Amino acid sequence: MNDVVHVRDLVKTYGGVPAVDGIGFDVAIGETFGLLGANGAGKTTTLECLLGVSRPDAGSVTILGLDPRTRRKELFQRVGVQFQEARYQDKITVDELCRATRALYREADDPAKLLARFSLTEVRKQAVESLSGGQRQRLFVVLALIPRPEVVFLDELTTGLDVKARRDVWNLLDEMRQQGMTIVLTSHFMDEVEALCDRVIILRKGRIVFEGTVAEAVASGPFASFEDAYLAYAEPAEHAESVE
Ligand code: ATP
């Protein structure tokens, strides 16, 4: 099986309200896959179910052929994760956090090399809480890469980055992709999605309303740009060029 991620009929409800409502998709090895949708559409909930952090009410998920809930330890060694709200100890420095993370993995990459690639060498002795928003965001990408993962999950990774830092992260992701890494990301920036993603799904109210490439989305209606197509799928009531 070449699928790194395999999802079928996934349902997750909170208080009887479905956050994810019966979705299914696959991510192939080496693919950069975008999980798109408006605020509250169900992207983070989907990621949490994929990673075994959240227990789905129904459906099946495998990552690298393994069930993330029963084979979590094994998967943990092979998967990199960057969440929007990462938790870390108070006062811990960048170096200390990287060392502590490295100690968790058998095949860990050299944090110093990764810090240099993400232009964080200068702040390595600083407390994580003293970093700027963009520096912290880049640090979380470094932490996700320390295990030398086969697949990496990135939740809105460029939110809060300045223009240059965003470009730098794109270039690094492109490099990772060329090295064969599978990347699953969420993003609210359609230029980023166009630059990075081989394929996307667009979620609306926990359901998949589009699956395909950026070019296929644009060609699926009278859209001048991918952003127009995205809006028509993700926010049809707000948008004149609704696909409904
Ligand atoms: P954003 O772009 O704002 O990050 P999202 O697409 O990641 O949004 P989710 O965080 O998955 O959306 O939320 C989907 C729905 O599930 C929302 O209505 C949210 O309020 C609800 N939800 C998510 N987590 C919980 C929770 N722990 N308890 C109750 N409701 C939740």
mmCIF file of all heavy atoms in Angstrom, residues 116-162:
data_model
loop_
_atom_site.group_PDB
_atom_site.id
_atom_site.type_symbol
_atom_site.label_atom_id
_atom_site.label_comp_id
_atom_site.label_asym_id
_atom_site.label_seq_id
_atom_site.Cartn_x
_atom_site.Cartn_y
_atom_site.Cartn_z
ATOM 1 N N ALA A 116 19.785 26.116 12.474
ATOM 2 C CA ALA A 116 20.484 26.970 11.501
ATOM 3 C C ALA A 116 19.649 27.117 10.229
ATOM 4 O O ALA A 116 19.514 28.222 9.689
ATOM 5 C CB ALA A 116 21.853 26.372 11.189
ATOM 6 N N ARG A 117 19.061 26.018 9.768
ATOM 7 C CA ARG A 117 18.263 26.070 8.534
ATOM 8 C C ARG A 117 17.071 26.996 8.676
ATOM 9 O O ARG A 117 16.598 27.589 7.712
ATOM 10 C CB ARG A 117 17.750 24.673 8.186
ATOM 11 C CG ARG A 117 18.724 23.889 7.339
ATOM 12 C CD ARG A 117 18.226 22.485 7.155
ATOM 13 N NE ARG A 117 17.178 22.393 6.154
ATOM 14 C CZ ARG A 117 16.444 21.294 5.969
ATOM 15 N NH1 ARG A 117 16.640 20.235 6.703
ATOM 16 N NH2 ARG A 117 15.528 21.259 5.035
ATOM 17 N N PHE A 118 16.547 27.106 9.899
ATOM 18 C CA PHE A 118 15.384 27.958 10.128
ATOM 19 C C PHE A 118 15.781 29.295 10.759
ATOM 20 O O PHE A 118 14.947 29.971 11.367
ATOM 21 C CB PHE A 118 14.357 27.220 10.994
ATOM 22 C CG PHE A 118 13.584 26.183 10.228
ATOM 23 C CD1 PHE A 118 14.104 24.920 10.023
ATOM 24 C CD2 PHE A 118 12.347 26.483 9.680
ATOM 25 C CE1 PHE A 118 13.407 23.968 9.286
ATOM 26 C CE2 PHE A 118 11.641 25.536 8.960
ATOM 27 C CZ PHE A 118 12.173 24.276 8.754
ATOM 28 N N SER A 119 17.062 29.650 10.627
ATOM 29 C CA SER A 119 17.582 30.939 11.122
ATOM 30 C C SER A 119 17.254 31.175 12.594
ATOM 31 O O SER A 119 16.822 32.268 12.982
ATOM 32 C CB SER A 119 17.025 32.100 10.289
ATOM 33 O OG SER A 119 17.222 31.856 8.933
ATOM 34 N N LEU A 120 17.472 30.156 13.411
ATOM 35 C CA LEU A 120 17.164 30.289 14.837
ATOM 36 C C LEU A 120 18.406 30.129 15.724
ATOM 37 O O LEU A 120 18.304 30.154 16.946
ATOM 38 C CB LEU A 120 16.116 29.238 15.249
ATOM 39 C CG LEU A 120 14.706 29.463 14.710
ATOM 40 C CD1 LEU A 120 13.830 28.248 14.980
ATOM 41 C CD2 LEU A 120 14.070 30.707 15.321
ATOM 42 N N THR A 121 19.580 29.998 15.081
ATOM 43 C CA THR A 121 20.798 29.766 15.868
ATOM 44 C C THR A 121 21.005 30.882 16.889
ATOM 45 O O THR A 121 21.365 30.625 18.039
ATOM 46 C CB THR A 121 22.019 29.673 14.923
ATOM 47 O OG1 THR A 121 21.716 28.676 13.954
ATOM 48 C CG2 THR A 121 23.278 29.302 15.668
ATOM 49 N N GLU A 122 20.751 32.109 16.468
ATOM 50 C CA GLU A 122 21.013 33.257 17.356
ATOM 51 C C GLU A 122 20.149 33.270 18.608
ATOM 52 O O GLU A 122 20.516 33.883 19.597
ATOM 53 C CB GLU A 122 20.783 34.561 16.593
ATOM 54 C CG GLU A 122 21.985 34.938 15.778
ATOM 55 C CD GLU A 122 21.729 36.135 14.898
ATOM 56 O OE1 GLU A 122 20.786 36.894 15.183
ATOM 57 O OE2 GLU A 122 22.462 36.285 13.909
ATOM 58 N N VAL A 123 18.999 32.623 18.555
ATOM 59 C CA VAL A 123 18.102 32.685 19.726
ATOM 60 C C VAL A 123 18.120 31.379 20.533
ATOM 61 O O VAL A 123 17.285 31.183 21.409
ATOM 62 C CB VAL A 123 16.644 33.018 19.303
ATOM 63 C CG1 VAL A 123 16.569 34.381 18.649
ATOM 64 C CG2 VAL A 123 16.055 31.937 18.402
ATOM 65 N N ARG A 124 19.108 30.533 20.257
ATOM 66 C CA ARG A 124 19.038 29.190 20.856
ATOM 67 C C ARG A 124 19.156 29.196 22.379
ATOM 68 O O ARG A 124 18.705 28.265 23.024
ATOM 69 C CB ARG A 124 20.041 28.246 20.203
ATOM 70 C CG ARG A 124 21.477 28.523 20.504
ATOM 71 C CD ARG A 124 22.393 27.651 19.659
ATOM 72 N NE ARG A 124 23.747 27.710 20.141
ATOM 73 C CZ ARG A 124 24.577 28.716 19.906
ATOM 74 N NH1 ARG A 124 24.193 29.742 19.174
ATOM 75 N NH2 ARG A 124 25.807 28.711 20.399
ATOM 76 N N LYS A 125 19.770 30.236 22.935
ATOM 77 C CA LYS A 125 19.909 30.278 24.409
ATOM 78 C C LYS A 125 18.737 31.015 25.073
ATOM 79 O O LYS A 125 18.667 31.105 26.294
ATOM 80 C CB LYS A 125 21.227 30.958 24.795
ATOM 81 C CG LYS A 125 22.462 30.326 24.174
ATOM 82 C CD LYS A 125 23.478 29.943 25.221
ATOM 83 C CE LYS A 125 24.709 29.283 24.659
ATOM 84 N NZ LYS A 125 24.433 27.929 24.135
ATOM 85 N N GLN A 126 17.847 31.546 24.266
ATOM 86 C CA GLN A 126 16.709 32.300 24.818
ATOM 87 C C GLN A 126 15.594 31.374 25.314
ATOM 88 O O GLN A 126 15.437 30.258 24.805
ATOM 89 C CB GLN A 126 16.113 33.175 23.708
ATOM 90 C CG GLN A 126 16.619 34.600 23.726
ATOM 91 C CD GLN A 126 16.098 35.399 22.555
ATOM 92 O OE1 GLN A 126 16.878 35.800 21.704
ATOM 93 N NE2 GLN A 126 14.788 35.631 22.493
ATOM 94 N N ALA A 127 14.814 31.887 26.274
ATOM 95 C CA ALA A 127 13.632 31.144 26.711
ATOM 96 C C ALA A 127 12.628 31.110 25.555
ATOM 97 O O ALA A 127 12.482 32.107 24.833
ATOM 98 C CB ALA A 127 13.006 31.820 27.915
ATOM 99 N N VAL A 128 11.970 29.971 25.390
ATOM 100 C CA VAL A 128 11.001 29.828 24.296
ATOM 101 C C VAL A 128 9.924 30.916 24.399
ATOM 102 O O VAL A 128 9.517 31.513 23.405
ATOM 103 C CB VAL A 128 10.358 28.422 24.323
ATOM 104 C CG1 VAL A 128 9.263 28.303 23.277
ATOM 105 C CG2 VAL A 128 11.421 27.357 24.105
ATOM 106 N N GLU A 129 9.522 31.222 25.652
ATOM 107 C CA GLU A 129 8.437 32.203 25.822
ATOM 108 C C GLU A 129 8.861 33.624 25.437
ATOM 109 O O GLU A 129 8.003 34.481 25.259
ATOM 110 C CB GLU A 129 7.900 32.164 27.254
ATOM 111 C CG GLU A 129 8.934 32.532 28.290
ATOM 112 C CD GLU A 129 8.400 32.407 29.718
ATOM 113 O OE1 GLU A 129 7.297 31.880 29.902
ATOM 114 O OE2 GLU A 129 9.119 32.843 30.634
ATOM 115 N N SER A 130 10.182 33.842 25.294
ATOM 116 C CA SER A 130 10.641 35.186 24.912
ATOM 117 C C SER A 130 10.745 35.356 23.393
ATOM 118 O O SER A 130 11.046 36.442 22.907
ATOM 119 C CB SER A 130 12.013 35.457 25.535
ATOM 120 O OG SER A 130 13.020 34.716 24.847
ATOM 121 N N LEU A 131 10.521 34.297 22.622
ATOM 122 C CA LEU A 131 10.652 34.384 21.169
ATOM 123 C C LEU A 131 9.503 35.196 20.576
ATOM 124 O O LEU A 131 8.408 35.242 21.132
ATOM 125 C CB LEU A 131 10.631 32.987 20.546
ATOM 126 C CG LEU A 131 11.741 32.025 20.950
ATOM 127 C CD1 LEU A 131 11.547 30.690 20.222
ATOM 128 C CD2 LEU A 131 13.109 32.597 20.646
ATOM 129 N N SER A 132 9.757 35.781 19.421
ATOM 130 C CA SER A 132 8.666 36.434 18.691
ATOM 131 C C SER A 132 7.741 35.346 18.144
ATOM 132 O O SER A 132 8.127 34.164 18.079
ATOM 133 C CB SER A 132 9.226 37.264 17.537
ATOM 134 O OG SER A 132 9.590 36.416 16.468
ATOM 135 N N GLY A 133 6.542 35.730 17.756
ATOM 136 C CA GLY A 133 5.577 34.755 17.237
ATOM 137 C C GLY A 133 6.153 33.956 16.076
ATOM 138 O O GLY A 133 6.019 32.726 16.016
ATOM 139 N N GLY A 134 6.829 34.630 15.164
ATOM 140 C CA GLY A 134 7.384 33.960 13.986
ATOM 141 C C GLY A 134 8.522 33.021 14.349
ATOM 142 O O GLY A 134 8.643 31.931 13.787
ATOM 143 N N GLN A 135 9.359 33.467 15.315
ATOM 144 C CA GLN A 135 10.465 32.592 15.738
ATOM 145 C C GLN A 135 9.909 31.329 16.397
ATOM 146 O O GLN A 135 10.397 30.225 16.161
ATOM 147 C CB GLN A 135 11.365 33.343 16.732
ATOM 148 C CG GLN A 135 12.184 34.429 16.067
ATOM 149 C CD GLN A 135 12.855 35.340 17.076
ATOM 150 O OE1 GLN A 135 12.425 35.456 18.224
ATOM 151 N NE2 GLN A 135 13.909 36.010 16.642
ATOM 152 N N ARG A 136 8.888 31.496 17.190
ATOM 153 C CA ARG A 136 8.290 30.345 17.878
ATOM 154 C C ARG A 136 7.689 29.362 16.862
ATOM 155 O O ARG A 136 7.859 28.159 16.956
ATOM 156 C CB ARG A 136 7.201 30.835 18.840
ATOM 157 C CG ARG A 136 6.865 29.835 19.894
ATOM 158 C CD ARG A 136 5.994 30.424 20.967
ATOM 159 N NE ARG A 136 6.442 31.751 21.346
ATOM 160 C CZ ARG A 136 5.717 32.629 22.019
ATOM 161 N NH1 ARG A 136 4.497 32.340 22.362
ATOM 162 N NH2 ARG A 136 6.197 33.810 22.325
ATOM 163 N N GLN A 137 7.030 29.935 15.873
ATOM 164 C CA GLN A 137 6.414 29.111 14.826
ATOM 165 C C GLN A 137 7.481 28.280 14.106
ATOM 166 O O GLN A 137 7.308 27.094 13.857
ATOM 167 C CB GLN A 137 5.709 30.060 13.845
ATOM 168 C CG GLN A 137 4.679 29.419 12.998
ATOM 169 C CD GLN A 137 3.397 29.142 13.775
ATOM 170 O OE1 GLN A 137 3.353 29.237 14.998
ATOM 171 N NE2 GLN A 137 2.373 28.772 13.063
ATOM 172 N N ARG A 138 8.605 28.940 13.797
ATOM 173 C CA ARG A 138 9.691 28.218 13.113
ATOM 174 C C ARG A 138 10.283 27.151 14.034
ATOM 175 O O ARG A 138 10.629 26.062 13.588
ATOM 176 C CB ARG A 138 10.775 29.197 12.661
ATOM 177 C CG ARG A 138 10.417 29.838 11.335
ATOM 178 C CD ARG A 138 11.482 30.776 10.874
ATOM 179 N NE ARG A 138 11.354 32.054 11.556
ATOM 180 C CZ ARG A 138 12.345 32.900 11.778
ATOM 181 N NH1 ARG A 138 13.565 32.614 11.379
ATOM 182 N NH2 ARG A 138 12.132 34.046 12.388
ATOM 183 N N LEU A 139 10.369 27.468 15.329
ATOM 184 C CA LEU A 139 10.876 26.471 16.284
ATOM 185 C C LEU A 139 9.975 25.233 16.292
ATOM 186 O O LEU A 139 10.457 24.099 16.336
ATOM 187 C CB LEU A 139 10.949 27.089 17.691
ATOM 188 C CG LEU A 139 11.332 26.111 18.805
ATOM 189 C CD1 LEU A 139 12.728 25.522 18.579
ATOM 190 C CD2 LEU A 139 11.264 26.794 20.170
ATOM 191 N N PHE A 140 8.680 25.441 16.206
ATOM 192 C CA PHE A 140 7.762 24.298 16.233
ATOM 193 C C PHE A 140 7.941 23.430 14.979
ATOM 194 O O PHE A 140 7.770 22.215 15.046
ATOM 195 C CB PHE A 140 6.313 24.760 16.365
ATOM 196 C CG PHE A 140 6.021 25.391 17.705
ATOM 197 C CD1 PHE A 140 4.987 26.297 17.861
ATOM 198 C CD2 PHE A 140 6.795 25.086 18.814
ATOM 199 C CE1 PHE A 140 4.728 26.885 19.102
ATOM 200 C CE2 PHE A 140 6.551 25.670 20.060
ATOM 201 C CZ PHE A 140 5.513 26.570 20.201
ATOM 202 N N VAL A 141 8.305 24.062 13.869
ATOM 203 C CA VAL A 141 8.596 23.265 12.669
ATOM 204 C C VAL A 141 9.881 22.456 12.903
ATOM 205 O O VAL A 141 9.949 21.268 12.577
ATOM 206 C CB VAL A 141 8.717 24.146 11.406
ATOM 207 C CG1 VAL A 141 8.981 23.283 10.179
ATOM 208 C CG2 VAL A 141 7.455 24.971 11.202
ATOM 209 N N VAL A 142 10.877 23.093 13.502
ATOM 210 C CA VAL A 142 12.121 22.380 13.823
ATOM 211 C C VAL A 142 11.807 21.167 14.704
ATOM 212 O O VAL A 142 12.275 20.057 14.452
ATOM 213 C CB VAL A 142 13.125 23.326 14.549
ATOM 214 C CG1 VAL A 142 14.264 22.539 15.174
ATOM 215 C CG2 VAL A 142 13.662 24.369 13.578
ATOM 216 N N LEU A 143 10.991 21.365 15.733
ATOM 217 C CA LEU A 143 10.658 20.259 16.646
ATOM 218 C C LEU A 143 9.960 19.120 15.887
ATOM 219 O O LEU A 143 10.195 17.943 16.153
ATOM 220 C CB LEU A 143 9.758 20.749 17.787
ATOM 221 C CG LEU A 143 10.378 21.799 18.712
ATOM 222 C CD1 LEU A 143 9.350 22.283 19.727
ATOM 223 C CD2 LEU A 143 11.620 21.273 19.422
ATOM 224 N N ALA A 144 9.127 19.497 14.919
ATOM 225 C CA ALA A 144 8.420 18.476 14.128
ATOM 226 C C ALA A 144 9.383 17.677 13.259
ATOM 227 O O ALA A 144 9.121 16.518 12.928
ATOM 228 C CB ALA A 144 7.343 19.135 13.263
ATOM 229 N N LEU A 145 10.516 18.314 12.881
ATOM 230 C CA LEU A 145 11.456 17.646 11.968
ATOM 231 C C LEU A 145 12.531 16.843 12.700
ATOM 232 O O LEU A 145 13.203 16.017 12.090
ATOM 233 C CB LEU A 145 12.121 18.683 11.058
ATOM 234 C CG LEU A 145 11.183 19.396 10.083
ATOM 235 C CD1 LEU A 145 11.956 20.379 9.232
ATOM 236 C CD2 LEU A 145 10.460 18.387 9.201
ATOM 237 N N ILE A 146 12.695 17.090 13.995
ATOM 238 C CA ILE A 146 13.757 16.408 14.751
ATOM 239 C C ILE A 146 13.679 14.880 14.618
ATOM 240 O O ILE A 146 14.707 14.220 14.460
ATOM 241 C CB ILE A 146 13.783 16.891 16.222
ATOM 242 C CG1 ILE A 146 14.424 18.283 16.269
ATOM 243 C CG2 ILE A 146 14.538 15.915 17.128
ATOM 244 C CD1 ILE A 146 14.498 18.907 17.648
ATOM 245 N N PRO A 147 12.488 14.258 14.647
ATOM 246 C CA PRO A 147 12.462 12.784 14.521
ATOM 247 C C PRO A 147 12.831 12.248 13.133
ATOM 248 O O PRO A 147 12.800 11.047 12.952
ATOM 249 C CB PRO A 147 11.013 12.421 14.858
ATOM 250 C CG PRO A 147 10.239 13.664 14.887
ATOM 251 C CD PRO A 147 11.173 14.826 14.962
ATOM 252 N N ARG A 148 13.217 13.115 12.181
ATOM 253 C CA ARG A 148 13.401 12.688 10.777
ATOM 254 C C ARG A 148 12.157 11.936 10.304
ATOM 255 O O ARG A 148 12.228 10.751 9.923
ATOM 256 C CB ARG A 148 14.582 11.730 10.614
ATOM 257 C CG ARG A 148 15.925 12.303 10.849
ATOM 258 C CD ARG A 148 16.937 11.210 10.503
ATOM 259 N NE ARG A 148 18.194 11.416 11.153
ATOM 260 C CZ ARG A 148 19.213 12.068 10.607
ATOM 261 N NH1 ARG A 148 19.107 12.577 9.410
ATOM 262 N NH2 ARG A 148 20.333 12.200 11.274
ATOM 263 N N PRO A 149 11.017 12.579 10.356
ATOM 264 C CA PRO A 149 9.766 11.864 10.109
ATOM 265 C C PRO A 149 9.593 11.461 8.642
ATOM 266 O O PRO A 149 10.127 12.118 7.741
ATOM 267 C CB PRO A 149 8.704 12.897 10.506
ATOM 268 C CG PRO A 149 9.363 14.221 10.300
ATOM 269 C CD PRO A 149 10.801 14.017 10.626
ATOM 270 N N GLU A 150 8.819 10.404 8.447
ATOM 271 C CA GLU A 150 8.437 10.007 7.081
ATOM 272 C C GLU A 150 7.263 10.849 6.620
ATOM 273 O O GLU A 150 7.043 11.057 5.437
ATOM 274 C CB GLU A 150 8.030 8.528 7.071
ATOM 275 C CG GLU A 150 9.208 7.609 7.289
ATOM 276 C CD GLU A 150 8.746 6.209 7.673
ATOM 277 O OE1 GLU A 150 8.040 5.564 6.871
ATOM 278 O OE2 GLU A 150 9.100 5.756 8.775
ATOM 279 N N VAL A 151 6.465 11.284 7.598
ATOM 280 C CA VAL A 151 5.315 12.140 7.285
ATOM 281 C C VAL A 151 5.236 13.212 8.361
ATOM 282 O O VAL A 151 5.492 12.953 9.533
ATOM 283 C CB VAL A 151 4.001 11.323 7.178
ATOM 284 C CG1 VAL A 151 3.796 10.435 8.357
ATOM 285 C CG2 VAL A 151 2.789 12.239 7.009
ATOM 286 N N VAL A 152 4.916 14.428 7.928
ATOM 287 C CA VAL A 152 4.841 15.521 8.880
ATOM 288 C C VAL A 152 3.479 16.214 8.754
ATOM 289 O O VAL A 152 2.962 16.387 7.652
ATOM 290 C CB VAL A 152 6.051 16.472 8.687
ATOM 291 C CG1 VAL A 152 5.985 17.226 7.389
ATOM 292 C CG2 VAL A 152 6.201 17.424 9.829
ATOM 293 N N PHE A 153 2.889 16.527 9.914
ATOM 294 C CA PHE A 153 1.585 17.193 9.966
ATOM 295 C C PHE A 153 1.795 18.620 10.478
ATOM 296 O O PHE A 153 2.337 18.809 11.579
ATOM 297 C CB PHE A 153 0.645 16.439 10.912
ATOM 298 C CG PHE A 153 0.271 15.076 10.412
ATOM 299 C CD1 PHE A 153 1.074 13.976 10.677
ATOM 300 C CD2 PHE A 153 -0.876 14.893 9.651
ATOM 301 C CE1 PHE A 153 0.739 12.712 10.195
ATOM 302 C CE2 PHE A 153 -1.223 13.637 9.177
ATOM 303 C CZ PHE A 153 -0.413 12.544 9.447
ATOM 304 N N LEU A 154 1.385 19.581 9.691
ATOM 305 C CA LEU A 154 1.657 20.987 10.015
ATOM 306 C C LEU A 154 0.344 21.762 10.047
ATOM 307 O O LEU A 154 -0.348 21.865 9.030
ATOM 308 C CB LEU A 154 2.595 21.585 8.956
ATOM 309 C CG LEU A 154 3.904 20.814 8.728
ATOM 310 C CD1 LEU A 154 4.611 21.321 7.465
ATOM 311 C CD2 LEU A 154 4.837 20.946 9.923
ATOM 312 N N ASP A 155 0.010 22.291 11.223
ATOM 313 C CA ASP A 155 -1.279 22.974 11.382
ATOM 314 C C ASP A 155 -1.057 24.488 11.321
ATOM 315 O O ASP A 155 -0.529 25.076 12.274
ATOM 316 C CB ASP A 155 -1.890 22.563 12.732
ATOM 317 C CG ASP A 155 -3.364 22.927 12.832
ATOM 318 O OD1 ASP A 155 -3.971 23.286 11.807
ATOM 319 O OD2 ASP A 155 -3.905 22.845 13.950
ATOM 320 N N GLU A 156 -1.439 25.097 10.222
ATOM 321 C CA GLU A 156 -1.301 26.551 10.018
ATOM 322 C C GLU A 156 0.105 27.025 10.354
ATOM 323 O O GLU A 156 0.297 27.965 11.114
ATOM 324 C CB GLU A 156 -2.319 27.306 10.874
ATOM 325 C CG GLU A 156 -3.741 27.000 10.474
ATOM 326 C CD GLU A 156 -4.760 27.838 11.221
ATOM 327 O OE1 GLU A 156 -4.428 28.953 11.650
ATOM 328 O OE2 GLU A 156 -5.893 27.367 11.365
ATOM 329 N N LEU A 157 1.080 26.401 9.713
ATOM 330 C CA LEU A 157 2.452 26.629 10.154
ATOM 331 C C LEU A 157 2.981 28.003 9.836
ATOM 332 O O LEU A 157 3.909 28.464 10.484
ATOM 333 C CB LEU A 157 3.391 25.563 9.587
ATOM 334 C CG LEU A 157 4.024 25.816 8.237
ATOM 335 C CD1 LEU A 157 5.291 24.996 8.149
ATOM 336 C CD2 LEU A 157 3.087 25.434 7.138
ATOM 337 N N THR A 158 2.447 28.710 8.860
ATOM 338 C CA THR A 158 3.028 30.016 8.531
ATOM 339 C C THR A 158 2.213 31.176 9.094
ATOM 340 O O THR A 158 2.538 32.327 8.838
ATOM 341 C CB THR A 158 3.210 30.207 7.016
ATOM 342 O OG1 THR A 158 1.912 30.168 6.416
ATOM 343 C CG2 THR A 158 4.098 29.154 6.415
ATOM 344 N N THR A 159 1.185 30.880 9.881
ATOM 345 C CA THR A 159 0.424 31.957 10.517
ATOM 346 C C THR A 159 1.358 32.731 11.444
ATOM 347 O O THR A 159 2.065 32.142 12.247
ATOM 348 C CB THR A 159 -0.754 31.355 11.310
ATOM 349 O OG1 THR A 159 -1.611 30.709 10.378
ATOM 350 C CG2 THR A 159 -1.532 32.435 12.054
ATOM 351 N N GLY A 160 1.390 34.033 11.287
ATOM 352 C CA GLY A 160 2.227 34.869 12.158
ATOM 353 C C GLY A 160 3.636 35.085 11.645
ATOM 354 O O GLY A 160 4.405 35.810 12.261
ATOM 355 N N LEU A 161 3.980 34.473 10.527
ATOM 356 C CA LEU A 161 5.330 34.675 9.989
ATOM 357 C C LEU A 161 5.365 35.919 9.113
ATOM 358 O O LEU A 161 4.381 36.237 8.436
ATOM 359 C CB LEU A 161 5.765 33.482 9.140
ATOM 360 C CG LEU A 161 5.945 32.149 9.840
ATOM 361 C CD1 LEU A 161 6.550 31.135 8.882
ATOM 362 C CD2 LEU A 161 6.841 32.302 11.060
ATOM 363 N N ASP A 162 6.516 36.607 9.091
ATOM 364 C CA ASP A 162 6.632 37.733 8.155
ATOM 365 C C ASP A 162 6.879 37.184 6.753
ATOM 366 O O ASP A 162 7.053 35.970 6.557
ATOM 367 C CB ASP A 162 7.695 38.741 8.610
ATOM 368 C CG ASP A 162 9.103 38.183 8.597
ATOM 369 O OD1 ASP A 162 9.390 37.274 7.783
ATOM 370 O OD2 ASP A 162 9.930 38.656 9.400
#
